[in-house]
Amino acid sequence: MVALGLGCTAAAAQDVGVYQPTSGQFALRRSLSAGSADFVFRPPGTHSGQLPLAGDWNGDGRTDVGLYRPASRRFRLYDLSSSGSAAISFRLQGIRSGLVAIGGDWDGDGKDSAGVYDPARRIFHLKDEAAGGRADRTFVFEGAKKGWRPLAGDWNHDGVDGVGLYDPKTGTFYLRNDPGSSGPADLVARIESADTVRGWLPLTGDWNGDGTDTVGLYHPASGTFRLRNANSDGPSDLEFQLQGLRRGGRPLAGNWGSAAPASAAQTCVDAINRYRATLNRAPLARWTEAEGCGDDQARSDAASGQAHGAFGQCGESAQNECPNWPGPAETMIGGCLQMMWDEGPGSDYSKHGHYINMSNPGYSQVACGFYTKPDGRVWSVQDFR
């Protein structure tokens, strides 16, 4: 139940993630600790002008993600275990364009759905089911002011998500338990810090697994999260950085767990590092911020039919490529990398270049990009630096 930093209820502690609009990627981490993303998901298609949200769309206890296009009022909700098109797509009718997306379980049925917040009118429009039609719940959040950001979460552990608003000027969260009637906030909270609140974005989630969603903040410039285990004034209980991201992005919370299996990109990096280990080479770090660019390179090369046609566009020093392999991406990459490694050592780059790139001790990072054609065949690039 997450959109622009919105949280959802669960029996286990939730984790965090960041949506990066420049690349269209969801970078998700499976623990509340410093480190890089464990899983990167990039929905197919273009993502300009869309807003992220997350939620358990099918009631299986796992969090998935979605995108909302304010101009067309269309939601696209994805399954993280699939790299295909949206599992659910619908428009919320009877609302203005340009509103802010929000996700949550408004009726307590165990499934998250979507809604929007109209900041000009201070009105929430919430849909009980992830399907087209008019909102089932429309109400005013009394006391709201211009510029406040919408939130959702189960503030009182009753199995139903309430709504909230965040005042970025004061760093104050205003939380309301009832997602179906007008009224003021039931709870007011603030994460106290010596730092300015300027530039921080809100999120909410169940950080300690007690069934109650509480407040959090994310700093896009540094990738820092500050999470508090109570909806009251006080310091953060957890503080850490999600590393390897571009500046910017919007925070998310959820139970990624088995909803986010090892991605093709992670499988690719792990395989390369296993080969390097046989030579006692240091492992390459996953270059997550370049993966979206790598996807674009693979798509461009697939369109032109020319391997390495987009080489150099992502700032890489070297590139290997698997052109037009039978999919899916998660399974084809192992065979392709094995073929490259089997070239073995040698000085002739035309015969041993793939091996040379994979084993080069001078590289420290690798980004694996993928594009799946309509016929199911896959193009994949591995960018080294």
Side-chain angles (χ1 to χ4, degrees):
M1 312 164 210
V2 203
L4 299 175
L6 313 183
C8 51
T9 304
Q14 292 181 323
D15 301 315
V16 296
V18 172
Y19 174 70
Q20 301 180 281
T22 54
S23 64
Q25 292 178 326
F26 290 86
L28 310 177
R29 182 156 174 81
R30 292 191 178 101
S31 66
L32 299 178
S33 61
S36 59
D38 296 300
F39 176 65
V40 177
F41 177 79
R42 187 175 189 268
T46 58
H47 312 97
S48 177
Q50 299 193 69
L51 303 176
L53 65 159
D56 181 0
W57 315 129
N58 59 5
D60 65 356
R62 304 178 305 179
T63 306
D64 291 302
V65 298
L67 290 170
Y68 174 67
R69 189 179 294 278
S72 64
R73 306 183 295 281
R74 179 168 293 279
F75 288 89
R76 288 183 170 86
L77 309 181
Y78 298 90
D79 181 348
L80 286 177
S81 64
S82 171
S83 60
S85 59
I88 303 171
S89 178
F90 65 93
R91 291 182 62 189
L92 189 56
Q93 301 173 358
I95 61 170
R96 299 189 301 158
S97 61
L99 305 187
V100 184
I102 188 172
D105 183 359
W106 319 122
D107 59 1
D109 68 350
K111 297 180 181 180
D112 291 333
S113 185
V116 294
Y117 175 65
D118 184 337
R121 301 176 180 176
R122 303 170 298 148
I123 296 176
F124 283 91
H125 303 269
L126 309 180
K127 193 82 169 63
D128 288 344
E129 295 185 8
R134 291 182 173 271
D136 298 295
R137 305 160 188 266
T138 300
F139 58 92
V140 174
F141 198 115
E142 296 177 2
K145 295 183 180 179
K146 183 179 180 180
W148 290 13
R149 297 175 177 268
L151 304 160
D154 185 354
W155 319 128
N156 59 359
H157 197 181
D158 67 351
V160 176
D161 282 326
V163 297
L165 291 169
Y166 174 74
D167 179 358
K169 292 183 178 180
T170 64
T172 304
F173 293 81
Y174 298 88
L175 311 177
R176 180 164 174 77
N177 290 320
D178 184 356
S181 66
S182 299
D186 298 300
L187 300 167
V188 178
R190 189 174 185 274
I191 298 179
E192 297 174 348
S193 171
D195 298 346
T196 176
V197 298
R198 190 173 184 178
W200 291 79
L201 299 177
L203 74 159
T204 62
D206 183 1
W207 315 127
N208 59 3
D210 67 355
T212 300
D213 291 327
T214 53
V215 297
L217 292 170
Y218 172 70
H219 194 253
S222 65
T224 301
F225 285 88
R226 287 178 177 167
L227 311 177
R228 180 164 168 76
N229 289 327
N231 289 318
S232 59
D233 292 355
S236 60
D237 295 294
L238 292 168
E239 182 170 337
F240 58 90
Q241 284 184 312
L242 184 54
Q243 300 164 356
L245 303 179
R246 296 179 181 177
R247 292 170 62 92
R250 296 178 180 272
L252 305 159
N255 298 312
W256 316 126
S258 58
S263 65
Q266 187 63 55
T267 299
C268 174
V269 174
D270 291 343
I272 292 171
N273 284 332
R274 283 195 298 270
Y275 290 126
R276 289 174 64 89
T278 65
L279 303 176
N280 294 318
R281 297 281 196 268
L284 300 178
R286 182 175 170 182
W287 188 13
T288 55
E289 61 265 35
E291 287 176 359
C293 182
D295 292 344
D296 291 339
Q297 286 180 314
R299 181 184 294 106
S300 175
D301 289 355
S304 67
Q306 178 184 350
H308 307 296
F311 173 66
Q313 294 181 1
C314 300
E316 70 275 17
S317 300
Q319 183 188 76
N320 291 348
E321 186 158 10
C322 310
N324 210 40
W325 276 64
E330 291 79 5
T331 58
M332 56 70 57
I333 190 61
C336 178
L337 294 176
Q338 179 70 63
M339 184 178 292
M340 293 177 177
W341 190 254
D342 287 345
E343 292 176 358
S347 59
D348 187 342
Y349 196 84
S350 64
K351 296 181 179 179
H352 304 276
H354 297 108
Y355 178 94
I356 292 171
N357 290 340
M358 293 171 70
S359 62
N360 193 325
Y363 298 141
S364 61
Q365 292 181 300
V366 61
C368 298
F370 295 85
Y371 174 68
T372 302
K373 296 166 55 181
D375 64 4
R377 300 188 74 86
V378 178
W379 285 63
S380 172
V381 301
Q382 301 91 49
D383 289 336
F384 299 88
R385 74 167 184 176

